[in-house]
Amino acid sequence: MATDARAKFQNADFRPDFHADLKVSTHDGLHFWQFMMAGSVAGCVEHMAMFPVDTVKTRMQALGSCPVKTGTVRQALKSILQSEGPSALYRGIGAMGLGAGPAHAVYFSVYETCKKRLSEGNPNNAAAHAASGVCATVASDAVFTPMDMVKQRLQLGNSGYKGVWDCVRRVMSEEGFRAFYASYRTTVLMNAPFTAVHFTTYEAAKRGLMEVSPESVDDERLIVHATAGAAAGALAAAVTTPLDVVKTQLQCQGVCGCDRFKSGSIKDVIKTIVKKDGYRGLMRGWIPRMLFHAPAAAICWSTYEAGKSFFQDFNQQKDVGTVT
């Protein structure tokens, strides 16, 4: 049985989506809530695993922040460990947990829904993948941005906030609700191209890896998703670093020595960064950003695909039980 399946996979004329003998399901055989569950778990695992690297990146991007004054990843990490200890690398992880789960649930469910409608049955439609990714990021950023702001403020060690809810309460009373979305426009402008590059690269890399060794695709599916995800994450992170620096400045303004901006204008923030640190300031933290997103994307995609496989098996067993 397995031999026949692999023979069909290797046959260039075989098209799974249009094979007459196959029963086509709504989309990957999953319900909307199952995409949300798989995405939520994937997002939490991804961000929790890579959180220390994200802390280093935030410290490096927050110009004038405390206590990091040095330029390399190794120096920044050493500075944090010596002045505050290992626990400082996990400040704000509670906010990340509260935001990552719901945001990724929205992210993947919107992506899968849009991909189904825009691809029009063509699994190689790169434009559909990119457009679906953009739609997904606009929706998920609306959910994630407030907690991301709280997370970044807590990551600046001497910010004065006692914890997640203390930060939320003080920001609300001192700066108002709009402060939670001060960086939303920048975040969307950053994540739209990030996600377009990410999803397009991921789908292309996954397809290419499967074509290289189709006979072992079932045995190496996890490796394929992890490798494609890592490549996509690294490339997308490098391309969008300048806007990520702007986002960090907007979310951490007024905290720990960071400048406060009268408007949320991206142009004004870029001028301030260039004036204080030159054009190289726009690429601050690009190494830890890539070090974060490459393995994070690998973890996220492999976890997400594993979750989808789990629900597919669950649905099949449920259908078999219903028939019998």
Side-chain angles (χ1 to χ4, degrees):
M1 188 72 177
T3 304
D4 293 340
R6 287 184 178 177
K8 289 181 179 180
F9 188 85
Q10 290 174 294
N11 185 352
D13 296 327
F14 178 60
R15 296 291 184 270
D17 290 340
F18 305 103
H19 197 279
D21 296 332
L22 292 179
K23 180 181 179 181
V24 180
S25 59
T26 53
H27 184 51
D28 285 350
L30 300 184
H31 301 290
F32 188 79
W33 69 269
Q34 291 173 327
F35 284 121
M36 295 188 72
M37 286 290 294
S40 179
V41 172
C44 288
V45 172
E46 166 199 358
H47 285 286
M48 298 299 182
M50 301 304 301
F51 194 82
V53 181
D54 185 62
T55 298
V56 173
K57 183 217 71 170
T58 298
R59 296 286 186 99
M60 292 180 70
Q61 289 183 340
L63 303 182
S65 72
C66 44
V68 177
K69 304 292 184 183
T70 50
T72 69
V73 177
R74 184 175 181 179
Q75 290 172 328
L77 179 61
K78 184 178 180 181
S79 174
I80 294 171
L81 292 175
Q82 287 182 341
S83 60
E84 301 171 67
S87 62
L89 295 172
Y90 291 92
R91 280 181 59 88
I93 196 170
M96 175 61 74
L98 290 172
H104 278 73
V106 172
Y107 186 86
F108 281 107
S109 56
V110 171
Y111 172 70
E112 294 287 358
T113 301
C114 292
K115 185 174 74 170
K116 176 189 174 184
R117 294 183 178 181
L118 297 177
S119 62
E120 298 179 344
N122 179 12
N124 301 327
N125 191 334
H129 297 153
S132 300
V134 172
C135 292
T137 198
V138 171
S140 66
D141 284 343
V143 177
F144 188 57
T145 296
M147 281 296 111
D148 189 48
M149 184 275 286
V150 173
K151 181 265 297 182
Q152 286 204 307
R153 291 197 177 197
L154 290 173
Q155 284 176 319
L156 301 181
N158 298 330
S159 60
Y161 299 114
K162 297 177 181 179
V164 174
W165 299 117
D166 179 57
C167 181
V168 171
R169 180 182 58 80
R170 287 177 55 184
V171 169
M172 182 67 78
S173 63
E174 296 171 10
E175 303 175 52
F177 181 77
R178 292 183 62 182
F180 290 102
Y181 283 93
S183 70
Y184 179 66
R185 181 174 55 181
T186 306
T187 301
V188 170
L189 289 176
M190 173 188 72
N191 283 341
F194 176 94
T195 310
V197 172
H198 185 115
F199 277 111
T200 304
T201 305
Y202 171 74
E203 297 286 356
K206 181 177 69 173
R207 187 168 61 252
L209 290 168
M210 287 180 173
E211 290 174 355
V212 169
S213 182
E215 69 279 356
S216 59
V217 68
D218 290 333
D219 298 331
E220 299 177 2
R221 175 174 291 183
L222 188 63
I223 297 175
V224 168
H225 292 306
T227 304
L235 178 60
V239 170
T240 57
T241 293
L243 284 172
D244 189 53
V245 176
V246 173
K247 184 202 76 169
T248 299
Q249 289 290 299
L250 286 170
Q251 292 193 153
C252 297
Q253 58 182 307
V255 179
C256 221
C258 293
D259 292 301
R260 183 173 290 281
F261 303 96
K262 294 181 180 179
S263 69
S265 169
I266 297 174
K267 185 178 180 180
D268 289 344
V269 178
I270 291 176
K271 283 183 177 180
T272 301
I273 294 171
V274 172
K275 182 178 180 181
K276 295 183 68 174
D277 204 34
Y279 284 102
R280 67 176 184 177
L282 294 172
M283 291 302 293
R284 283 176 69 101
W286 72 272
I287 293 178
R289 180 166 164 76
M290 288 186 67
L291 289 176
F292 173 89
H293 280 286
I299 293 169
C300 185
W301 276 110
S302 54
T303 304
Y304 176 63
E305 295 292 348
K308 284 174 62 177
S309 295
F310 169 80
F311 283 121
Q312 285 169 346
D313 292 340
F314 174 81
N315 290 344
Q316 288 176 359
Q317 291 177 5
K318 185 178 179 181
D319 291 340
V320 170
T322 302
V323 172
T324 57

